[in-house]
Amino acid sequence: MDLELDTDQQELRDHARSFLADSCPPSLVRDLFEGRVIEGRVVEGRVVEGRGPADSGGLWSAMVELGWPALAAEVDHGGLGQGFVAEAVLASELGRVVAPGPYLATVTQFAPVLVAAGAAELLGRVSAGDLTGALALGAADASARADGDGWTLDGVKTHVLDGASAEEIAVVARLVGSRGHEGVGAFLVPRAAVAVEPLTVIDPTMPLATLRLDGVEVDGARVLLDPRDPASFDALEHVRRHATVAMALSGVATCRAIVEATVSYAKQRHQFGRPIGSFQAIKHRLADLYLAVERADALAWYAAVCLAEDDARLPVAAAMAKAALGDCQRLATRDGLQLHGGIGFTWEHDLHFLLKRATTTAFLLGGAEHHRAELARHLGLVA
Amino acid sequence: MDLELDTDQQELRDHARSFLADSCPPSLVRDLFEGRVIEGRVVEGRVVEGRGPADSGGLWSAMVELGWPALAAEVDHGGLGQGFVAEAVLASELGRVVAPGPYLATVTQFAPVLVAAGAAELLGRVSAGDLTGALALGAADASARADGDGWTLDGVKTHVLDGASAEEIAVVARLVGSRGHEGVGAFLVPRAAVAVEPLTVIDPTMPLATLRLDGVEVDGARVLLDPRDPASFDALEHVRRHATVAMALSGVATCRAIVEATVSYAKQRHQFGRPIGSFQAIKHRLADLYLAVERADALAWYAAVCLAEDDARLPVAAAMAKAALGDCQRLATRDGLQLHGGIGFTWEHDLHFLLKRATTTAFLLGGAEHHRAELARHLGLVA
Amino acid sequence: MKLRFDESVESFRAELLGWLAANRPSAEEMAADPSVSTGHAPAWARRWTRTMFDAGWLVPGWPPELGGRNATPTQTLVYLEELARARVPRTSNVQGLGIVAPSIIDYGTPEQIEQYAMAILHGEATACLGMSEPDAGSDLASLRTRAVRDGDHFVVDGQKVWTSGANYADFCFLFCRTDPDVPKHKGISILLVDMDTPGITVRPLPEIVHPDHPDLNEVFFDSVRVPADRLVGELGAGWAMANGSLAHERGMVWVSAVQGIEEALARLLDEAPATTATLPPTEQALANDRIVQVAIDATAARCLGYRAFAKLARGGTAPEQALMKLFSSEVRQRVAEVAAEVQGPDALVTGEVAFDGHQAIDEPQGTWLEQYFQSFANTISAGTSEIQRTIIAERVLGLPREPRPT
Amino acid sequence: MKLRFDESVESFRAELLGWLAANRPSAEEMAADPSVSTGHAPAWARRWTRTMFDAGWLVPGWPPELGGRNATPTQTLVYLEELARARVPRTSNVQGLGIVAPSIIDYGTPEQIEQYAMAILHGEATACLGMSEPDAGSDLASLRTRAVRDGDHFVVDGQKVWTSGANYADFCFLFCRTDPDVPKHKGISILLVDMDTPGITVRPLPEIVHPDHPDLNEVFFDSVRVPADRLVGELGAGWAMANGSLAHERGMVWVSAVQGIEEALARLLDEAPATTATLPPTEQALANDRIVQVAIDATAARCLGYRAFAKLARGGTAPEQALMKLFSSEVRQRVAEVAAEVQGPDALVTGEVAFDGHQAIDEPQGTWLEQYFQSFANTISAGTSEIQRTIIAERVLGLPREPRPT
């Protein structure tokens, strides 16, 4: 098992990092946190045309120009066929700089449902940057009724990432009266067809919304995964794991940025005539924090490779990765903020962007306890 | 709420501590750990007559001479009426020096059943040091069948403290066919009437045994708490809490001894040209360890006062005390052993007596998780 | 060792409760005009301070002329508990009443006591505490703000930071260096500086949550002229006074911290069954277990507080102050952390924070996640948790000090 | 980034497995005469070492004349994994094969290589490592054992402690001070000392569990005369060699540690359902959750190991060695701790320990609670966990060193 990036992947990472350093500076993140509208503005001396409300500072436009939405997708789907590790590299780099924009929801959550559905045309539009999407998971939250050739959906979807800005929503719903692994499917619903309630959240770079489906009628052609097909459940579990692994990778990268910021601060900040990083107790806490990040990072990349190679160990690896992100975020948030002292507590310092993003990634798609409970089943501890 | 000992209680503590320093030195504990028979031997220059196999080094005889078994008991029961705080002081001091002997089982586990049963004559014998006992809890492990005027008991009792040496066993059993709070009672069974299987345990100062009851017939006069009396369940719950609080007090005192030994070692041991206790990481761990002991200690004494004053907060306080002992023992064992380095890892050093005793007290009568699960009910989190 | 107090204490409690019922500001009155900073005393708060002073209930342990009734330490403990339970603040200007006024009374001139300390006790003024500086967060010995004598004035130049309530306070209890030529912990003096003196600039520091309600500030001093008679105590004796000023009502600062923990925990226990209702049983068990752990911490905090107090009441020393600061601030943090994690993604949703007036302004407010972030104020300020651990290790456990620069 | 190895590695694996099946000692043979100390090689173990040497399977990365086959690092990794999976020990004398022999080969004379290193590789001798001293546990620079030149001999006086296997070893790779007049980390030299030399006293140190099976020893040197040609490398170059000798098969020492974790975890997962069967659902959920946490740790340990290895295989430095030492030893400890706690009072019951021969003698053995206590050998020896944390902080994170005495 080789968990290091190969040369091409390293190049992709270095390129993405350097691009984001220019195009997604802390000032852009601050604009979002402070509620300034930043659609289509001047970036690095050139005017970037905005592509809708999620195109913060033209960042998404620039990413589309670089072909990022197409990078991991299969060639048949208008992609460049570089596979999930490339997607993982991008999710990770975006997490590192608290980047806003549709990448996480569209590429790591919405597109996998399209892949499962074999929706090549839609995937082509995603790859081209012409379509943004969101994924509304949770079969228990919505019901589907067959209605002639089409379907009627009812229910409330909570905490949908990009739910207020994505053009299309992949809505998971359950056949009325079905239970367990039966009767679960996914439907493509235009955002305009649902009542959207954007939520004020701690991290505006990860916008969440509540979606109310009140007798939404869905054309038969918009069924992505037919709830009458027994294979749909497993397909959606795979989608959920894909989204979970991407979230874990992105969150761990944010945590690593917290640790780097904290280590750097500990080297500079003097107290009692010494850099605080020379005090042994601080050293040992930072060593433990580094270890927590390495642990979560190694598990996230392990899960990424399992996903990339379609390995049977994915269910365990994905749950471990997300559980480890929870552990690591808890520690990184606590120690990162504490060791920065008063300065990290101020709005003016950029640290809080990282803290709030890390917390958001840890809390979405199941926290540590949720995934550990799932692991107890996977490991045969409970039936 | 006053959680400090008053002057009389302090005197008792100081006296007990000084007595045990003389009469229960580490060499006595070592004799037990190394399997030497030490019934009735010379202590401090005088021959002490042994009072049975549990009378290690004549320690129990000497405690009886000092009136310790009578100290907390009510005057009506041949006691000195000093109440549970006095008993708590002794349980604590005994834990501090890893003292062997019948005190914990006889006074803090067996006698409370007799109190619940109003068995004044038996209590008088316990107070006088003429009777040792053990408590076999766990209604599910034994069944009781009414048999004319008497009863027949069947079942297997595990991990009974002093089960192989006590003269009488208070056996908790359940009426055949009963459930829940109904049908639970306690019976006085001579040790000779049960099949005793002594266990080899990690801490021989806390000897455990498995007791097999195979159609044991109990005379009607030996019913301590009648299983047909609905009050018996609550009475036994109170007994269990009494035993639990005493175990928590004793265990916390052992943990405090570990911390004291570790702090003392950290002051003496030099590495890299400095006492290891001057390194900040060691300091902070010892501060956290001290805090864990203080937390558990404060809760144990809070529970002790609740018991002494028959306060309604006892169920919560007792469970918190024992749960906190678990937390504190885990940390004290880990850090105590780790920070002693190689020396604490040797059989020749006395540290391991403390470690093994602390672990034993934490594991008996329910570990931290057990008591936290109980607290979830007490605090209204689950029905 | 006992659960309940003596009759004399219980009758004191009854008197207080009766008086509170008759005289306290109503919850509505407080909520209508809440305090928004530790230097901000709304009109009702100023009146309430004066009412307490006149009735001898402001600082019960002091004599009547200072707003007290010569209460015993145990009575003061009960007073603090009951005030917190009644959800009525003693003051929003916690540092003014808790540190500045007592220090002036201990070390100041009669004129300073009359003009500054009594103004606080009468509800007429609020004070802020000018200690921390950009390069001397927890390290008072490194402070650089200078006060140079110029005739009958001191001229102050320098910068303070993390100054709570400076955006509203009437005056500052300012630590500054009056002698740069002596070792670091010497040469520090204290001045009483009116905040409207020319040359003072206050820049509020919005916090990572509730940035619209700043309490912390940077304070810049640019040739600020302070009359020489505003020097508190001896020139150069600031270090000793700093240690003295933190000792007021010592052994009882934990009371409000523990009360804050218990209120937060009560809310958590109240909400939890609904929050966890939709979880599968296993996850519910894990969530409940985390809640139980902080519940144990909360009870332990109160027990440890009582124990520290009992030692003090018997004339013993109470090294447990560092322990109580450390433990109570970390437990408050854990309550919020656990509560937020149990909420899951709902914890990410924020909203307008409603300052309800009865809660001390420096207590964590808002959603659980916001409370969690805000709780770091208490593990960082007034000696970080790291410093408390070192104090426990050295002063309680007697471990050898690290070599420190002189 | 990929889950599987190249074909060339897989065919190497197949060859190894075939050879092992045909040549390995049986479990019965091993159990009948188990190794009871890291210095003790039973007859079957001596034969097995020779068999591996002759077939080029003893140290695959070395050339054939040293018992290898010039294997690549990846092949060596696979070799170590498969050997561990097959539950057959490469050697009981882990320090002899892992540190002493390689160091002699690197720094020794041809005679020393022939007489000492090859004896280890041929299964004819075992060695112990004389480093730690009573006042220099983790601090080699403080060692005091002196070797004074006297004609064509060194005369050794002093004391070693925590010397694994010294109660059985044939010779000692002894660190001693040959020049007391230079700074502490200079003036240290290495001697090869036959353990039957007059003046050597070995006192086994029974451990807190399994005291009847001591592996650690005190070794006393009283005017022990060692021929001068037993000096390894340059006089006074011991410090540099100590750092070099620990670097053999670096980046792969984690393999057996991780294998030990996985074996322990597999046993725990296997036993747990029966152990927790009688618990109420809530407690079962808490017990399972603790087991899951160490299961995550175990997987992370393997992933971190592979990652450290990948860096090394690409020629990068692997500062993760300190991290792997720290993490794997602490995870092994946690597995035993959790397993014991899940057992509850049953964990307190002990019995005779059966050394089964296939498990390395320095792996934790016996009941879960005994394994827990014994696991501290790994968090204390070869650089305590505290030292590993400092190394990570300073060498990986680049935090400033503490002032150290020279």
Side-chain angles (χ1 to χ4, degrees):
Chain A
M1 186 159 61
D2 181 351
L3 292 178
E4 281 294 291
L5 297 177
D6 66 27
T7 316
D8 286 353
Q9 292 158 350
Q10 280 179 23
E11 262 178 36
L12 173 63
R13 183 196 59 195
D14 295 346
H15 175 263
R17 190 168 296 187
S18 124
F19 163 74
L20 289 170
D22 286 346
S23 304
C24 186
S27 62
L28 174 65
V29 178
R30 181 166 292 279
D31 282 342
L32 256 115
F33 267 83
E34 298 183 354
R36 286 187 285 282
V37 177
I38 46 171
E39 183 181 345
R41 57 165 209 182
V42 177
V43 171
E44 292 297 302
R46 72 195 176 102
V47 176
V48 180
E49 194 185 337
R51 294 170 76 104
D55 189 13
S56 310
L59 181 63
W60 178 236
S61 306
M63 283 167 56
V64 169
E65 271 180 44
L66 291 171
W68 283 11
L71 205 62
E74 287 179 29
V75 178
D76 291 353
H77 299 150
L80 300 169
Q82 294 193 15
F84 184 72
V85 174
E87 185 177 321
V89 167
L90 296 182
S92 179
E93 291 304 314
L94 292 168
R96 208 174 155 274
V97 296
V98 195
Y103 189 88
L104 219 51
T106 298
V107 177
T108 78
Q109 301 188 355
F110 178 66
V113 193
L114 304 182
V115 171
E121 187 266 337
L122 289 165
L123 280 164
R125 288 173 57 203
V126 167
S127 289
D130 288 335
L131 177 64
T132 58
L135 172 62
L137 278 170
D141 301 332
S143 66
R145 250 180 310 116
D147 188 10
D149 209 27
W151 296 80
T152 304
L153 304 182
D154 284 280
V156 180
K157 292 289 181 180
T158 54
H159 314 114
V160 179
L161 184 64
D162 285 3
S165 58
E167 293 158 60
E168 295 280 355
I169 321 280
V171 174
V172 176
R174 172 182 282 291
L175 270 184
V176 175
S178 70
R179 291 180 54 189
H181 292 199
E182 302 287 315
V184 175
F187 304 85
L188 188 69
V189 180
R191 191 190 74 236
V194 299
V196 174
E197 184 192 317
L199 299 169
T200 307
V201 285
I202 194 92
D203 173 11
T205 70
M206 295 281 276
L208 305 179
T210 302
L211 307 184
R212 288 173 202 283
L213 299 105
D214 197 4
V216 172
E217 296 186 5
V218 182
D219 188 272
R222 283 184 153 257
V223 177
L224 293 170
L225 294 164
D226 194 314
R228 292 164 306 201
D229 181 349
S232 292
F233 181 85
D234 282 345
L236 279 167
E237 281 294 283
H238 193 268
V239 168
R240 193 174 59 78
R241 290 191 180 111
H242 185 133
T244 300
V245 174
M247 189 67 79
L249 286 156
S250 196
V252 172
T254 311
C255 290
R256 189 180 289 281
I258 294 173
V259 177
E260 286 172 4
T262 308
V263 167
S264 163
Y265 181 75
K267 290 177 188 171
Q268 291 157 24
R269 172 72 173 170
H270 280 64
Q271 287 274 280
F272 305 106
R274 296 161 55 175
I276 62 169
S278 73
F279 286 101
Q280 203 196 33
I282 307 295
K283 279 185 189 174
H284 284 202
R285 272 170 71 178
L286 288 171
D288 281 334
L289 184 51
Y290 172 75
L291 182 56
V293 172
E294 286 291 307
R295 172 179 180 269
D297 192 60
L299 287 167
W301 285 103
Y302 169 56
V305 184
C306 287
L307 182 61
E309 299 191 12
D310 205 12
D311 192 273
R313 287 168 287 185
L314 177 63
V316 165
M320 284 186 170
K322 194 63 171 54
L325 169 63
D327 298 339
C328 151
Q329 171 270 327
R330 195 177 285 170
L331 203 61
T333 303
R334 192 191 301 165
D335 282 356
L337 185 46
Q338 178 69 21
L339 297 182
H340 267 82
I343 195 80
F345 191 70
T346 63
W347 183 266
E348 291 177 1
H349 195 281
D350 295 337
L351 178 71
H352 68 107
F353 306 147
L354 293 165
L355 302 178
K356 291 167 181 173
R357 174 66 160 262
T359 305
T360 300
T361 58
F363 283 23
L364 290 177
L365 299 175
E369 276 72 20
H370 169 82
H371 287 281
R372 291 206 306 268
E374 189 161 305
L375 283 165
R377 284 187 296 277
H378 287 309
L379 297 176
L381 290 165
V382 282
Chain B
M1 188 158 62
D2 181 351
L3 292 177
E4 281 294 291
L5 297 177
D6 66 26
T7 316
D8 285 352
Q9 292 158 352
Q10 281 179 24
E11 261 177 37
L12 173 63
R13 182 195 61 196
D14 296 346
H15 176 262
R17 190 167 296 186
S18 125
F19 163 74
L20 289 170
D22 285 346
S23 305
C24 186
S27 60
L28 173 65
V29 178
R30 182 167 291 278
D31 282 342
L32 257 116
F33 268 82
E34 298 183 355
R36 287 187 283 282
V37 177
I38 46 172
E39 183 180 343
R41 58 166 209 182
V42 177
V43 172
E44 292 296 302
R46 73 194 175 104
V47 177
V48 180
E49 193 184 340
R51 295 169 76 102
D55 188 14
S56 309
L59 181 62
W60 178 236
S61 306
M63 283 167 57
V64 169
E65 270 181 44
L66 290 171
W68 283 10
L71 205 60
E74 287 179 29
V75 178
D76 291 353
H77 299 149
L80 299 169
Q82 295 192 17
F84 184 72
V85 174
E87 185 177 321
V89 166
L90 296 182
S92 178
E93 292 304 315
L94 293 168
R96 206 172 157 275
V97 295
V98 196
Y103 190 88
L104 220 51
T106 297
V107 178
T108 78
Q109 301 189 353
F110 178 67
V113 195
L114 303 183
V115 171
E121 186 266 337
L122 289 164
L123 280 165
R125 287 172 57 202
V126 167
S127 291
D130 288 335
L131 176 64
T132 59
L135 173 63
L137 279 171
D141 300 333
S143 66
R145 251 180 309 116
D147 190 10
D149 207 30
W151 297 79
T152 304
L153 305 181
D154 283 280
V156 179
K157 292 289 179 180
T158 55
H159 314 113
V160 179
L161 183 64
D162 286 1
S165 58
E167 293 157 60
E168 295 279 352
I169 321 281
V171 174
V172 176
R174 173 182 281 291
L175 269 185
V176 175
S178 70
R179 290 179 56 190
H181 292 201
E182 303 287 316
V184 175
F187 303 84
L188 188 69
V189 179
R191 192 190 75 238
V194 299
V196 174
E197 184 191 317
L199 299 168
T200 307
V201 285
I202 194 92
D203 173 10
T205 70
M206 296 281 276
L208 304 180
T210 303
L211 307 184
R212 290 174 201 283
L213 299 105
D214 199 5
V216 172
E217 296 186 6
V218 181
D219 186 272
R222 282 183 154 259
V223 177
L224 293 170
L225 293 164
D226 194 315
R228 292 164 304 199
D229 181 351
S232 292
F233 181 86
D234 283 344
L236 279 167
E237 281 296 282
H238 193 268
V239 167
R240 193 174 59 76
R241 292 192 179 110
H242 185 134
T244 301
V245 174
M247 188 68 79
L249 286 156
S250 195
V252 172
T254 311
C255 290
R256 189 179 290 281
I258 294 172
V259 177
E260 286 173 2
T262 309
V263 167
S264 163
Y265 181 74
K267 291 178 188 171
Q268 292 157 20
R269 172 73 173 169
H270 280 64
Q271 286 276 276
F272 305 106
R274 294 161 54 176
I276 61 170
S278 74
F279 286 102
Q280 203 195 33
I282 306 295
K283 277 185 192 176
H284 284 201
R285 272 169 71 179
L286 288 171
D288 281 335
L289 184 51
Y290 172 75
L291 183 54
V293 172
E294 286 290 309
R295 174 180 180 269
D297 191 60
L299 288 167
W301 285 103
Y302 170 55
V305 183
C306 287
L307 182 60
E309 299 191 12
D310 205 12
D311 192 272
R313 289 168 285 186
L314 176 63
V316 166
M320 284 187 169
K322 193 65 171 56
L325 168 63
D327 298 339
C328 152
Q329 172 270 326
R330 194 177 286 169
L331 204 61
T333 303
R334 191 191 299 165
D335 283 356
L337 185 46
Q338 178 69 21
L339 297 183
H340 267 83
I343 195 79
F345 191 69
T346 63
W347 183 266
E348 292 177 359
H349 195 281
D350 295 335
L351 179 70
H352 67 108
F353 306 147
L354 293 165
L355 303 177
K356 291 168 182 173
R357 174 65 161 262
T359 306
T360 300
T361 58
F363 283 24
L364 290 177
L365 299 176
E369 277 72 21
H370 169 82
H371 287 282
R372 291 206 306 269
E374 189 162 305
L375 283 164
R377 284 188 297 277
H378 287 311
L379 298 176
L381 291 165
V382 282
Chain C
M1 192 166 282
K2 54 192 174 6
L3 288 174
R4 287 177 193 79
F5 290 114
D6 295 338
E7 258 323 294
S8 70
V9 176
E10 294 307 325
S11 63
F12 174 94
R13 185 197 307 270
E15 186 185 350
L16 169 63
L17 291 176
W19 185 83
L20 276 178
N23 294 280
R24 62 163 288 172
S26 71
E28 296 72 31
E29 190 183 358
M30 297 189 295
D33 184 15
S35 167
V36 296
S37 146
T38 54
H40 171 227
W44 64 263
R46 291 175 185 262
R47 280 197 304 275
W48 171 233
T49 297
R50 181 75 206 207
T51 304
M52 283 198 288
F53 179 90
D54 290 340
W57 282 121
L58 186 62
V59 189
W62 283 351
E65 62 273 22
L66 292 173
R69 49 179 62 219
N70 294 312
T72 65
T74 307
Q75 288 172 333
T76 298
L77 175 69
V78 164
Y79 161 83
L80 293 170
E81 284 188 351
E82 292 301 338
L83 216 59
R85 255 180 223 146
R87 303 173 79 81
V88 53
R90 192 177 176 196
T91 178
S92 54
N93 186 214
V94 284
Q95 282 157 336
L97 184 62
I99 299 174
V100 176
S103 298
I104 297 172
I105 289 169
D106 279 359
Y107 303 110
T109 63
E111 292 73 23
Q112 289 169 348
I113 292 171
E114 189 52 39
Q115 192 179 348
Y116 290 97
M118 295 313 286
I120 290 175
L121 301 181
H122 289 158
E124 291 156 4
T126 62
C128 61
L129 191 61
M131 291 185 87
S132 291
E133 297 189 2
D135 290 314
S138 295
D139 178 13
L140 188 61
S142 298
L143 76 80
R144 292 185 188 168
T145 295
R146 290 180 56 167
V148 177
R149 186 69 182 247
D150 178 23
D152 57 356
H153 280 72
F154 288 97
V155 180
V156 178
D157 283 278
Q159 182 190 349
K160 294 290 171 178
V161 73
W162 320 128
T163 315
S164 290
N167 45 343
Y168 285 89
D170 296 298
F171 70 96
C172 181
F173 190 78
L174 184 72
F175 286 79
C176 43
R177 187 167 296 286
T178 44
D179 187 344
D181 299 327
V182 293
K184 283 184 145 188
H185 61 281
K186 299 184 177 174
I188 295 172
S189 302
I190 297 170
L191 296 177
L192 299 171
V193 183
D194 293 339
M195 290 297 286
D196 58 3
T197 315
I200 297 180
T201 310
V202 176
R203 197 173 79 90
L205 288 168
E207 297 167 17
I208 57 173
V209 287
H210 319 316
D212 298 337
H213 298 282
D215 182 42
L216 301 176
N217 301 271
E218 289 181 300
V219 186
F220 300 90
F221 296 86
D222 181 12
S223 300
V224 175
R225 295 185 65 81
V226 180
D229 62 8
R230 304 287 164 81
L231 172 71
V232 180
E234 300 289 316
L235 196 71
W239 178 271
M241 286 187 280
N243 291 319
S245 69
L246 298 172
H248 282 281
E249 287 184 358
R250 64 192 290 241
M252 284 184 253
V253 285
W254 57 270
V255 176
S256 65
V258 168
Q259 188 71 24
I261 291 168
E262 287 176 354
E263 284 185 22
L265 178 70
R267 197 184 130 201
L268 172 57
L269 288 171
D270 194 44
E271 293 173 0
T275 309
T276 62
T278 59
L279 295 177
T282 303
E283 288 179 57
Q284 206 171 44
L286 300 182
N288 286 339
D289 193 56
R290 301 198 63 210
I291 296 170
V292 167
Q293 290 182 39
V294 291
I296 298 173
D297 282 335
T299 302
R302 183 162 288 277
C303 291
L304 287 168
Y306 281 125
R307 193 144 74 169
F309 175 76
K311 281 193 190 154
L312 196 78
R314 283 174 199 167
T317 57
E320 281 87 354
Q321 280 174 85
L323 186 140
M324 286 308 295
K325 159 79 164 77
L326 172 65
F327 190 60
S328 62
S329 61
E330 294 201 340
V331 171
R332 182 65 185 85
Q333 197 161 85
R334 282 202 287 274
V335 172
E337 184 186 38
V338 166
E341 289 182 9
V342 167
Q343 274 188 302
D346 279 332
L348 303 170
V349 180
T350 59
E352 276 301 299
V353 61
F355 289 92
D356 60 4
H358 76 255
Q359 194 175 22
I361 190 69
D362 58 345
E363 276 280 301
Q365 318 251 348
T367 69
W368 285 118
L369 189 54
E370 288 171 335
Q371 289 184 37
Y372 176 63
F373 284 126
Q374 212 184 351
S375 73
F376 285 83
N378 297 322
T379 53
I380 290 170
S381 67
T384 63
S385 291
E386 290 68 42
I387 287 177
Q388 304 305 327
R389 285 192 172 83
T390 299
I391 291 174
I392 291 168
E394 294 179 358
R395 298 196 203 156
V396 182
L397 303 181
L399 290 166
R401 282 170 173 272
E402 282 200 274
R404 295 217 172 124
T406 47
Chain D
M1 193 166 281
K2 53 192 175 8
L3 287 175
R4 287 177 193 78
F5 290 114
D6 295 338
E7 259 322 296
S8 68
V9 176
E10 293 307 326
S11 63
F12 173 92
R13 186 197 304 270
E15 186 186 350
L16 169 63
L17 290 176
W19 184 83
L20 274 179
N23 293 279
R24 61 162 288 174
S26 71
E28 296 71 31
E29 191 183 355
M30 297 191 295
D33 184 15
S35 167
V36 296
S37 146
T38 55
H40 171 228
W44 65 264
R46 291 174 184 263
R47 282 196 303 276
W48 171 233
T49 297
R50 182 74 206 207
T51 305
M52 283 199 288
F53 179 91
D54 289 341
W57 281 121
L58 186 61
V59 188
W62 282 352
E65 62 272 22
L66 292 173
R69 47 181 61 218
N70 294 313
T72 65
T74 306
Q75 288 172 333
T76 297
L77 176 68
V78 164
Y79 161 82
L80 292 170
E81 283 187 351
E82 291 301 337
L83 215 58
R85 255 179 223 145
R87 301 175 78 82
V88 54
R90 192 179 177 194
T91 177
S92 55
N93 186 214
V94 284
Q95 282 158 337
L97 184 62
I99 299 174
V100 175
S103 298
I104 297 171
I105 290 168
D106 279 0
Y107 303 110
T109 63
E111 293 72 23
Q112 288 169 348
I113 292 172
E114 190 51 39
Q115 191 179 345
Y116 290 98
M118 297 312 286
I120 290 175
L121 301 181
H122 290 159
E124 292 157 3
T126 61
C128 60
L129 192 60
M131 292 185 87
S132 291
E133 296 189 2
D135 290 314
S138 296
D139 179 14
L140 189 60
S142 298
L143 77 78
R144 292 187 188 168
T145 295
R146 290 180 59 166
V148 177
R149 185 69 183 245
D150 178 23
D152 56 356
H153 281 73
F154 287 97
V155 180
V156 179
D157 282 278
Q159 182 190 349
K160 295 288 171 181
V161 72
W162 320 128
T163 315
S164 292
N167 45 344
Y168 286 89
D170 295 298
F171 70 94
C172 181
F173 190 77
L174 183 72
F175 286 78
C176 45
R177 188 166 295 287
T178 44
D179 188 345
D181 299 327
V182 294
K184 284 184 146 193
H185 61 283
K186 299 182 177 173
I188 296 172
S189 303
I190 297 171
L191 296 177
L192 299 172
V193 182
D194 294 339
M195 288 297 285
D196 57 3
T197 316
I200 297 179
T201 310
V202 175
R203 197 174 79 91
L205 287 167
E207 297 167 15
I208 58 172
V209 286
H210 319 315
D212 298 338
H213 299 280
D215 183 42
L216 301 176
N217 301 272
E218 288 180 302
V219 186
F220 300 89
F221 296 87
D222 181 12
S223 300
V224 175
R225 295 185 67 81
V226 180
D229 62 8
R230 306 285 165 80
L231 174 71
V232 180
E234 299 289 315
L235 196 71
W239 178 271
M241 288 188 279
N243 291 319
S245 68
L246 298 173
H248 283 281
E249 286 183 359
R250 62 192 292 242
M252 284 185 255
V253 284
W254 58 270
V255 176
S256 65
V258 168
Q259 189 71 24
I261 291 167
E262 287 176 354
E263 283 184 23
L265 179 69
R267 195 184 132 200
L268 173 57
L269 288 171
D270 194 45
E271 294 173 358
T275 309
T276 63
T278 59
L279 294 177
T282 304
E283 288 179 55
Q284 205 171 43
L286 299 182
N288 286 339
D289 193 56
R290 302 199 63 209
I291 296 169
V292 166
Q293 291 183 39
V294 292
I296 297 173
D297 282 334
T299 302
R302 183 161 287 277
C303 292
L304 287 168
Y306 282 125
R307 192 143 78 169
F309 174 77
K311 281 194 188 152
L312 196 78
R314 283 174 200 167
T317 56
E320 282 88 353
Q321 280 174 86
L323 188 140
M324 286 307 296
K325 158 76 164 80
L326 173 65
F327 190 59
S328 62
S329 61
E330 293 201 341
V331 171
R332 183 64 184 85
Q333 197 161 85
R334 281 202 286 274
V335 172
E337 183 186 37
V338 166
E341 289 182 8
V342 167
Q343 275 188 301
D346 279 333
L348 303 170
V349 180
T350 60
E352 275 301 298
V353 61
F355 290 92
D356 61 4
H358 74 257
Q359 194 177 21
I361 190 69
D362 58 344
E363 276 279 301
Q365 319 249 351
T367 69
W368 285 117
L369 190 54
E370 288 171 335
Q371 289 184 36
Y372 176 64
F373 284 126
Q374 212 184 352
S375 73
F376 284 83
N378 296 323
T379 53
I380 290 171
S381 68
T384 62
S385 291
E386 290 67 42
I387 288 176
Q388 304 305 326
R389 286 192 171 84
T390 298
I391 291 174
I392 292 168
E394 293 179 357
R395 298 197 203 156
V396 182
L397 303 180
L399 290 167
R401 280 169 175 271
E402 282 199 275
R404 291 214 177 129
T406 47

